[in-house]
Amino acid sequence: MIRLGIGDVTKPLVPAVLKAFHAGVDDMAKGSSFHGYGPEQGYSWLAQTIIDKSYAPLGVELKTSEVFISDGSKCDSSNILDIFHLSCKVAIGDPVYPVYNDTNVMVGRTGQANEQGYYEGLVYMPCTEENNFSPALPTEKVDIIYLCYPNNPTGTVATKEQLKVWVDYALANDAVILFDAAYEAFITEAHIPHSIYEIEGAKQCAIEFRSFSKTAGFTGVRCGLTVVPEALMATTENGEKVALNQLWNRRQCTKFNGVSYPVQKAAAAVYSDEGWPQVKEIIDYYMANAKIIREGLEAAGITCYGGVNAPYIWLKTPAGMTSWDFFDKLLNECFVVGTPGSGFGPSGEGYFRLSAFAERDNVEEAVKRIVEKWGK
Ligand SMILES: Cc1ncc(COP(=O)(O)O)c(C=O)c1O
């Protein structure tokens, strides 16, 4: 049985990260270097490292007060709803990372789902083969827009020109973009933006989420970050302007007590001179897996998307099978597990997601089995 379903990493932490993690634990053993409660926003030395190593090279200037260290981007992309009024109109992609849909359901914003699975209170933006998985602007006014690039599940990306359309929409409509960049480290093409703040005006309209999970194998360690620029204002029901940075800071200070000190030490080591090449080697390994999957299946006549700037391959199910029929056949006849596209939303029907987070021999074997079964 080969698992290419859930997007969990398979490689362990790299040596430089482990060294820093251990050192962080050792610090906790001595009174002189013990750390109790840390800042709810995260240690400023980690925020500064992220700014210097990951944002400055993109030409993006940030202050440490705009970077909030957290226990992951799943948590933050959910928790962020705490600072928005229930009456806000929310737009999400279809298919989509299910967390955006389900957390809005859970806070009570959506009402009931119809037969197709669409919730009445949400605005869905279909991402289909026809629009190259790049959704059109909503036709009604929305207040919050979730964008995820590189995208889970379709593996597609947005160019600067495409992101500018969203930023312009948000600025013109007083909307906030929730930009999930959990997979930015997997971008391989130089012209693709890694951050929404590479787009002029984005600091006035966007919050960005990032994660160490897939970038550096932190899925079980837990560390991410959320950028809330100080320039980002939102309008209350009374028409008053409020700074979302202050609201998020208040939310974090009230409901969160920060990420543990050894974890933040480990996260900082991701960007060290020793750490980054080690981390990058693993990212390249997963992306080589993605290439093997994509090129192997395409050569056998299966239509694939993604896998170039993202660790996911979004394939069109052979012979027009439904996503779940393909799942069953793949499981029972090839002993390979993947994720049915319809699980990400109604427009995912007829598609299937394969993850590149796996060991090479498993990837090669899975591709061989799929090609033997469905290859032309
Ligand atoms: C789009 C997207 N955002 C966020 C996450 C979760 O990241 P984290 O582990 O930092 O919570 C995932 C994980 O699969 C994801 O696919």
Side-chain angles (χ1 to χ4, degrees):
M1 184 74 71
I2 298 173
R3 296 178 56 170
L4 303 180
I6 181 169
D8 197 1
V9 294
T10 56
K11 293 282 181 211
L13 297 175
V14 300
V17 166
L18 272 178
K19 198 164 91 188
F21 208 169
H22 281 296
V25 172
D26 288 341
D27 283 349
M28 300 297 269
K30 295 181 288 254
S32 57
S33 53
F34 171 76
H35 285 70
Y37 287 126
E40 291 91 342
Q41 304 83 352
Y43 289 104
S44 58
W45 42 259
L46 176 55
Q48 192 61 56
T49 301
I50 292 163
I51 292 169
D52 293 345
K53 302 286 183 164
S54 198
Y55 281 101
L58 304 175
V60 174
E61 285 177 20
L62 291 172
K63 295 196 251 172
T64 53
S65 53
E66 297 177 304
V67 177
F68 295 82
I69 309 299
S70 75
D71 55 346
S73 59
K74 181 187 203 174
C75 326
D76 274 9
S77 61
S78 313
N79 293 333
I80 200 76
L81 295 179
D82 276 0
I83 64 169
F84 292 103
H85 197 273
L86 269 187
S87 64
C88 289
K89 201 74 183 158
V90 172
I92 62 171
D94 167 31
V96 75
Y97 177 48
V99 169
Y100 315 148
N101 185 76
D102 297 347
T103 53
N104 275 286
V105 173
M106 290 165 82
V107 296
R109 178 172 280 117
T110 64
Q112 297 300 315
N114 66 18
E115 271 174 20
Q116 284 173 285
Y118 290 124
Y119 284 85
E120 56 197 19
L122 291 176
V123 174
Y124 291 88
M125 307 182 292
C127 307
T128 60
E129 206 172 19
E130 289 69 40
N131 62 22
N132 229 346
F133 304 98
S134 168
L137 293 173
T139 48
E140 61 186 288
K141 187 206 166 327
V142 298
D143 305 301
I144 299 172
I145 303 154
Y146 287 84
L147 294 180
C148 174
Y149 289 113
N151 189 261
N152 176 16
T154 66
T156 52
V157 284
T159 61
K160 284 188 182 162
E161 293 70 31
Q162 286 172 313
L163 287 185
K164 179 155 188 338
V165 172
W166 288 103
V167 168
D168 289 348
Y169 173 92
L171 292 173
N173 289 278
D174 199 15
V176 176
I177 295 172
L178 301 179
F179 191 77
D180 189 343
Y183 297 98
E184 62 80 26
F186 294 85
I187 292 171
T188 60
E189 292 179 305
H191 68 285
I192 301 297
H194 286 243
S195 165
I196 187 121
Y197 304 120
E198 290 179 66
I199 314 304
E200 208 189 321
K203 279 192 188 166
Q204 280 78 46
C205 65
I207 290 173
E208 179 164 294
F209 306 98
R210 283 197 181 186
S211 172
F212 287 89
S213 284
K214 316 295 164 91
T215 306
F218 274 50
T219 51
V221 176
R222 310 305 305 148
C223 196
L225 60 120
T226 294
V227 178
V228 190
E230 288 177 356
L232 175 54
M233 307 297 283
T235 314
T236 67
E237 272 196 313
N238 310 329
E240 209 182 304
K241 291 282 179 198
V242 289
L244 291 186
N245 178 284
Q246 282 172 22
L247 281 190
W248 182 243
N249 189 46
R250 180 179 174 191
R251 189 269 169 211
Q252 290 299 81
C253 292
T254 308
K255 291 195 177 178
F256 186 58
N257 254 336
V259 177
S260 81
Y261 167 78
V263 165
Q264 294 193 62
K265 287 297 258 190
V270 167
Y271 294 110
S272 68
D273 291 346
E274 200 191 346
W276 185 249
Q278 296 171 356
V279 165
K280 184 72 174 69
E281 194 180 323
I282 295 179
I283 292 171
D284 292 345
Y285 176 91
Y286 291 133
M287 289 312 289
N289 284 348
K291 191 167 188 283
I292 291 168
I293 299 172
R294 179 167 175 156
E295 291 181 358
L297 299 189
E298 276 181 336
I302 297 172
T303 305
C304 294
Y305 298 93
V308 177
N309 293 296
Y312 296 119
I313 288 83
W314 186 242
L315 63 95
K316 218 168 164 174
T317 54
M321 267 180 277
T322 67
S323 301
W324 276 107
D325 281 348
F326 184 66
F327 173 87
D328 286 339
K329 281 210 157 43
L330 196 63
L331 177 64
N332 295 311
E333 297 172 28
C334 297
F335 305 105
V336 173
V337 182
T339 313
S342 53
F344 297 98
S347 295
E349 182 56 274
Y351 289 88
F352 200 80
R353 192 193 77 176
L354 290 177
S355 160
F357 293 116
E359 293 305 295
R360 183 65 44 81
D361 50 348
N362 280 337
V363 166
E364 287 170 347
E365 177 61 23
V367 170
K368 187 168 140 258
R369 291 184 201 169
I370 298 171
V371 170
E372 271 170 13
K373 175 94 190 124
W374 284 288
K376 296 215 171 83

